[in-house]
Amino acid sequence: GSNKWLMRFSVVQNINVFLQYIKNNHPNAVRDEMVRFSFLDPVNGCIELITNKKQELPYTGWKILPHKRPLLLTKKDADSFGSHYPIPPYCLVTIRANLTQYTEEDL
C-alpha cells in the first residue's frame, strides 16, 4: 500500500507564538525536533530545505515531493509572523511511502 503525508516547513522568530499557533490551529499535528539557527545575513538572510541531495542512509520506498522549488524562507518572513501576519510562513512538502517489504523503516 501507499501512504502520504503533508509536511509544513516553517521558520519563525518567536517560538512561543508559533507553538501557541500550532496548539490553537493544528492540535493533532505531530511535532518533532525544533532546530535553532542564525541567519548569516541579518537583513536579507534566508534558509533553504534541500530535498534533492544524495542521502547517506538508504531511503527505498520513500519520495519527497516539494510543492515549490526552491523550498526557501527568508528572515523577513520569519520576523513578520506574529507581529504582522497571523499565519507562520511555510513551504509544503508531500512525503510518500510505498509500503513493501523493501521499504526502509525510517526516512
Side-chain angles (χ1 to χ4, degrees):
S2 181
N3 287 310
K4 183 168 86 169
W5 299 270
L6 186 62
M7 178 187 81
R8 290 179 188 228
F9 167 61
S10 291
V11 175
V12 298
Q13 168 80 20
N14 188 327
I15 193 65
N16 293 325
V17 173
F18 183 61
L19 292 174
Q20 189 62 47
Y21 171 85
I22 292 172
K23 182 179 176 183
N24 293 344
N25 296 281
H26 304 284
N28 298 321
V30 176
R31 290 181 290 167
D32 200 352
E33 179 181 3
M34 294 193 192
V35 179
R36 296 179 59 101
F37 67 93
S38 298
F39 290 101
L40 293 177
D41 182 332
V43 177
N44 297 310
C46 64
I47 186 167
E48 182 177 0
L49 183 65
I50 306 293
T51 61
N52 59 354
K53 187 176 180 184
K54 184 169 172 35
Q55 297 189 65
E56 293 177 20
L57 299 173
Y59 57 93
T60 304
W62 293 90
K63 287 188 179 180
I64 299 173
L65 307 164
H67 290 217
K68 73 171 193 165
R69 288 207 189 266
L71 290 172
L72 185 85
L73 292 170
T74 67
K75 183 174 184 327
K76 183 178 176 182
D77 295 331
D79 291 347
S80 295
F81 169 61
S83 58
H84 298 97
Y85 297 101
I87 298 172
Y90 63 89
C91 295
L92 290 176
V93 178
T94 295
I95 300 172
R96 287 193 180 151
N98 184 17
L99 302 178
T100 70
Q101 66 187 33
Y102 305 108
T103 303
E104 295 295 327
E105 185 174 323
D106 294 315
L107 176 63

